[in-house]
Amino acid sequence: MRILLYNPDNGVTRNFMPHLWMFLLQALTPPGHEVLLIDGNAQPMDEAQIAQFVRERNIGLVGIGAMTRMIAKAYRTADAIRTTGVPVVMGGPHVTELADEALGRDGGPRHADAVALGEADETWPQIVNDAVRGELKDIYAPVDSAGKERKPPLNPYPVIPWDSIDLNQFNLVPKAAYPLLKQVGEGWGTFRIIPVESGRGCPYGCEFCTVTGFFGDSIRFRTNESVVDELLLLKARARSEKGQMAVFFIDDNFAINLKRTKSLLRDIIAAKAQVHWVAQISANLLRDEELVDLIAASGGKWVFIGMESIDPVNLKDVNKGFNKPGEYATVLERLAKRNVYAITSFIFGMDNDTTGVAERTLEQVRTWPPGLPIFGLLTPLPATPLYKRLETAGRLTRPRHWQEFIPFTMAHTPLKMSIGEAHAEVKYGWAHAYSPEALAQAVDSLDDQPLGYRINIFLARLCFRGIYFPMMGKLAWLKVVAQNRQTIFKLVKEAFFGRRTRPRSPEVEDSYEDVAARRMSAAK
Ligand code: B12
Ligand code: SF4
C-alpha cells in the first residue's frame, strides 16, 4: 500500500524545520509499504491539490497530524481526501484531546476515519495493518494487554534513515545557490534543521501547556548511543552533499535530568558527533556551570527558554513559579560567555499583566546579551488546566477558537486589560524588538566577537521578525533589507576590509551590562 503522511501548513510562516512525527511513523511502518511525506509548510497545497495528488498517486491511506492551530486546515484537507474514498487517520495533540470532534461524535461533521490517541509509536503498525484489511477502528489507544495506558519506552528507538530519506523539501538554501555555496568552506549547498528527540515527558505541569497531560510526567530517554548514532548519520549526510545539518533537540526540557544530559553531551563530544544544535531548557536548570560548558563544547548554539513573564505573580498564576525572573540575566550571561545565545519566549495577556507590559519586558531584554525574544498571547489549548479554569470562570470569548484560527488573537479576556490592549502589547513587543535600531544594537553588542557571530545574530533576527511580520514575498524582504541597510553595509564592509576587533577580556566580560547602562543613559 502507498501511504501519505501529511502535516498542514501553519497558516502563518514557512516552518524552518520539518515535523518529527512523520519521519518516526515512516520508520515504524511495517515492511512492504511505501510512505510519502508532505509538509504543507515546505510544499504548500490546497485541499483540491492534495485530493488530486492522493488520486493520481494511488494512495491507500492518509495520515494527518496537526497542532490545534492547524486543525481547521487539517479537517478541510481530510474532508477533501475522504471524498476520494481514501481513509484518513488523524493523530497528534489536538485530536487526542478532542477525538469526538474529529470523528463527528460531538454533533459536527466527521473528518477522520480513525484517530490515534497519544503517542502512536506502537499503535501505528496496527493501524496500517487494519487499513490494508479495510478494517480501521475509530480509535486506537496506546494501552497494554490489561487495558492500561502504555507509554513507548523509547528504548529501543527506531533508526530514522537520515542518510537516504528524500529531504529536498526541507533545504533552507535556495536551489539556484547550490553550485556556488557547496564550494564555500566545508560546503553550504544545503542547510537543514532536523528535529531529534532524546527523551519525552515533562513533570512541571505549567497551566497552559499540553505536554504533561499528553506525554505524562514520567520521563523516558533514548540511550546515549542511539542519539549519538543519529547525529553521526546526520553529519555524514551533510558531508556527502557538501551541506550543513543543524539539530533541534525537541525534548520539552532537554536538561530535565541533569546527570543524564551531561552524560549524553559527554558522549557526543567523545564520539565527535557534534553538530550545531538548539534545545529547549528551562532557566532553573541552566544554573549549572558544568552543564553550560558541556552545552557549548557539544555544539549547542541556541537555547530556547520559556521565560513567559518577568512578573513572579503571573508565573505563579500559571504554575510556573520555578521560573525566577531575578536570575534571567545571570543565566543569559552564563550562556553568552560561551557564545551560546537564547530564544526567550514571553506570553502577554496573563492575569496580572497591565498595559505597558511589553515595554517593561523590553526594558529588561535590552539589558541582556543579544538573543531572539518572541512574544505570544496566553492561549487556552484544549484539555489544559488553563482551559478548564477559564471555562469555569466563564471567561472564554471563543471557546472553540481553533475552528477559526486567527494568529496572535486571544480567545479569552485577560483580567487587567482588554483583549485589544493585549494584542497591542504583542505588536509593540515584536515591532520594537525587531526594529532596525534593535537589530543594529544586537550586532553592535557583539563587537568583541568574530564577524560570523555578528552576521549570525543579524540573520537570525531577520528571520524571527517574520514570525509576527510575515515576509513571504521578495518585495517584503527587499523592504526589510532597505530598512536595515546601515547594518548590512557595516557588516559587508567588515567582511571585505576587516575591522579592529575588541578582544574579550575579563574587564569586558560584563560588557552587556555596560552596553545596557550606556544605552539607558543615552536614552535619558
Ligand atoms: C518542536 C516543537 C515545535 C517547533 C515546530 C514544530 C516542528 N517543526 O517540529 C516550533 C519550535 C517551531 C514550535 C512552535 C510552536 N509550537 Co510547538 N512543539 C514542539 C514540540 C516541543 C515537539 C514536537 C515533536 O516533534 N514531538 C515529538 C513527536 C514524536 O511527538 P508528536 O508530534 O506529538 O507525535 C506523536 C503523537 O502525537 C502521534 N502523532 C502525531 N501526529 C500524528 C499523525 C498520525 C497520522 C498519527 C497516526 C499519529 C500522530 O504520534 C507521534 C509519535 O508518538 C511539542 C511538544 C512535544 N513534546 O511534542 C510542542 C507543541 C507541539 N507545540 C505547541 C505549540 C502551542 C506551539 C506554538 C503554537 C507555540 C506558540 N505559542 O507560538 C508554536 C506554533 C508553531 C507554528 N508556527 O506552527 C503545543 C501544541 C499543543 C496543541 N494542542 O496544539 C505543543 C504540544 C507544546 C505545548 N506547549 O503544549 N513547536
Ligand atoms: S516546563 Fe515547558 S514543557 Fe514542561 S510543562 Fe512547562 S511549558 Fe510545558
Side-chain angles (χ1 to χ4, degrees):
M1 182 170 61
R2 191 172 285 151
I3 301 167
L4 171 67
L5 297 181
Y6 173 73
N7 203 97
D9 62 87
N10 65 38
V12 188
T13 51
R14 182 183 189 273
N15 248 3
F16 58 90
M17 177 175 79
H19 290 264
L20 179 61
W21 71 265
M22 304 170 111
F23 299 100
L24 198 56
L25 295 194
Q26 185 181 36
L28 290 166
T29 303
H33 303 285
E34 186 189 359
V35 184
L36 309 178
L37 311 181
I38 296 185
D39 187 326
N41 296 297
Q43 289 188 57
M45 280 177 163
D46 64 24
E47 289 88 67
Q49 287 169 321
I50 294 182
Q52 193 184 349
F53 180 88
V54 167
R55 256 193 316 264
E56 285 174 4
R57 301 297 297 269
N58 202 15
I59 306 255
L61 174 69
V62 178
I64 301 182
M67 296 185 204
T68 294
R69 63 191 272 143
M70 303 120 169
I71 204 69
K73 165 100 188 188
Y75 288 155
R76 285 196 303 274
T77 307
D79 296 347
I81 292 168
R82 291 179 79 234
T83 59
T84 69
V86 175
V88 172
V89 50
M90 296 186 75
H94 184 87
V95 295
T96 294
E97 308 302 352
L98 298 177
D100 283 353
E101 180 183 87
L103 292 168
R105 292 172 173 179
D106 66 346
R110 181 171 187 148
H111 306 287
D113 295 277
V115 167
L117 299 183
E119 294 170 64
D121 311 48
E122 290 175 349
T123 46
W124 176 244
Q126 191 197 337
I127 294 172
V128 173
N129 291 336
D130 286 358
V132 170
R133 289 196 306 274
E135 290 174 9
L136 272 177
K137 299 182 192 55
D138 282 0
I139 295 216
Y140 290 84
V143 287
D144 62 18
S145 52
K148 208 169 147 268
E149 190 186 10
R150 193 183 135 80
K151 300 276 181 203
L154 305 190
N155 180 16
Y157 191 81
V159 176
I160 301 179
W162 292 117
D163 47 344
S164 55
I165 298 181
D166 178 358
L167 291 173
N168 278 338
Q169 62 180 315
F170 306 115
N171 186 8
L172 298 175
V173 176
K175 236 185 186 162
Y178 178 75
L180 180 70
L181 290 181
K182 73 176 183 177
Q183 316 287 353
V184 176
E186 292 167 346
W188 278 88
T190 56
F191 176 56
R192 299 190 176 95
I193 304 176
I194 298 295
V196 171
E197 61 180 338
S198 85
R200 285 187 200 163
C202 178
Y204 286 167
C206 303
E207 196 196 29
F208 52 81
C209 179
T210 57
V211 167
T212 307
F214 187 88
F215 290 99
D217 53 9
S218 76
I219 320 216
R220 293 145 286 147
F221 298 115
R222 292 169 65 181
T223 61
N224 290 356
E225 194 189 2
S226 136
V227 178
V228 168
D229 286 349
E230 188 165 355
L231 298 183
L232 289 171
L233 207 59
L234 287 165
K235 270 187 103 163
R237 166 85 185 246
R239 253 198 320 271
S240 73
E241 56 190 25
K242 294 203 183 312
Q244 302 290 322
M245 214 53 108
V247 158
F248 191 135
F249 284 114
I250 54 93
D251 306 37
D252 289 296
N253 216 331
F254 185 57
I256 192 71
N257 179 330
L258 275 177
K259 200 168 154 218
R260 197 279 325 193
T261 307
K262 287 183 188 177
S263 117
L264 172 63
L265 298 181
R266 280 193 204 101
D267 282 1
I268 290 175
I269 297 165
K272 296 197 171 33
Q274 290 105 321
V275 291
H276 288 178
W277 59 260
V278 47
Q280 313 183 92
I281 305 179
S282 53
N284 57 322
L285 300 169
L286 291 163
R287 289 174 192 145
D288 191 299
E289 295 278 346
E290 189 192 18
L291 172 73
V292 183
D293 280 339
L294 286 166
I295 289 176
S298 61
K301 292 289 165 206
W302 289 95
V303 176
F304 182 107
I305 306 178
M307 292 187 163
E308 327 303 6
S309 177
I310 54 164
D311 175 358
V313 176
N314 272 333
L315 290 165
K316 204 157 162 277
D317 278 351
V318 295
N319 200 30
K320 200 153 186 170
F322 59 86
N323 261 8
K324 305 287 177 215
E327 70 174 353
Y328 289 168
T330 321
V331 162
L332 297 175
E333 291 287 347
R334 189 173 292 129
L335 290 169
K337 278 179 189 160
R338 279 104 170 156
N339 283 323
V340 180
Y341 295 95
I343 302 162
T344 50
S345 164
F346 297 97
I347 299 175
F348 295 153
M350 287 188 166
D351 280 355
N352 203 41
D353 276 345
T354 52
T355 49
V357 59
E359 180 50 32
R360 286 192 294 279
T361 307
L362 283 173
E363 270 169 20
Q364 305 257 319
V365 171
R366 289 184 199 111
T367 69
W368 299 340
L372 300 169
I374 57 178
F375 310 94
L377 287 156
L378 191 61
T379 306
L381 292 169
T384 53
L386 173 69
Y387 191 96
K388 287 169 202 153
R389 172 164 71 87
L390 295 172
E391 187 179 37
T392 310
R395 289 175 57 194
L396 293 174
T397 50
R398 295 189 300 134
R400 306 238 142 202
H401 52 90
W402 49 90
Q403 287 177 350
E404 197 203 343
F405 170 67
I406 317 170
F408 296 106
T409 304
M410 290 200 79
H412 74 278
T413 319
L415 277 187
K416 298 188 176 172
M417 55 181 166
S418 68
I419 288 180
E421 284 167 342
H423 294 172
E425 293 297 329
V426 169
K427 188 170 184 187
Y428 184 100
W430 283 101
H432 287 78
Y434 292 87
S435 65
E437 298 74 35
L439 265 66
Q441 273 174 4
V443 171
D444 286 349
S445 67
L446 287 179
D447 198 26
D448 57 344
Q449 292 296 316
L451 183 62
Y453 281 106
R454 294 147 62 80
I455 294 179
N456 197 330
I457 192 89
F458 180 68
L459 291 179
R461 282 244 181 166
L462 276 190
C463 293
F464 267 59
R465 183 188 179 280
I467 297 175
Y468 188 85
F469 300 106
M471 299 183 293
M472 298 306 266
K474 283 191 185 120
L475 206 66
W477 272 99
L478 277 176
K479 201 171 150 199
V480 176
V481 167
Q483 283 167 349
N484 290 279
R485 61 188 176 281
Q486 281 179 348
T487 308
I488 294 172
F489 180 66
K490 194 169 167 184
L491 291 170
V492 170
K493 202 170 112 194
E494 281 174 22
F496 282 104
F497 303 110
R499 86 193 142 104
R500 187 180 59 83
T501 43
R502 182 158 56 88
R504 186 166 276 203
S505 68
E507 293 81 56
V508 295
E509 289 226 318
D510 293 332
S511 62
Y512 300 115
E513 283 164 13
D514 301 344
V515 171
R518 274 203 305 278
R519 255 187 244 140
M520 283 200 268
S521 61
K524 271 181 198 154

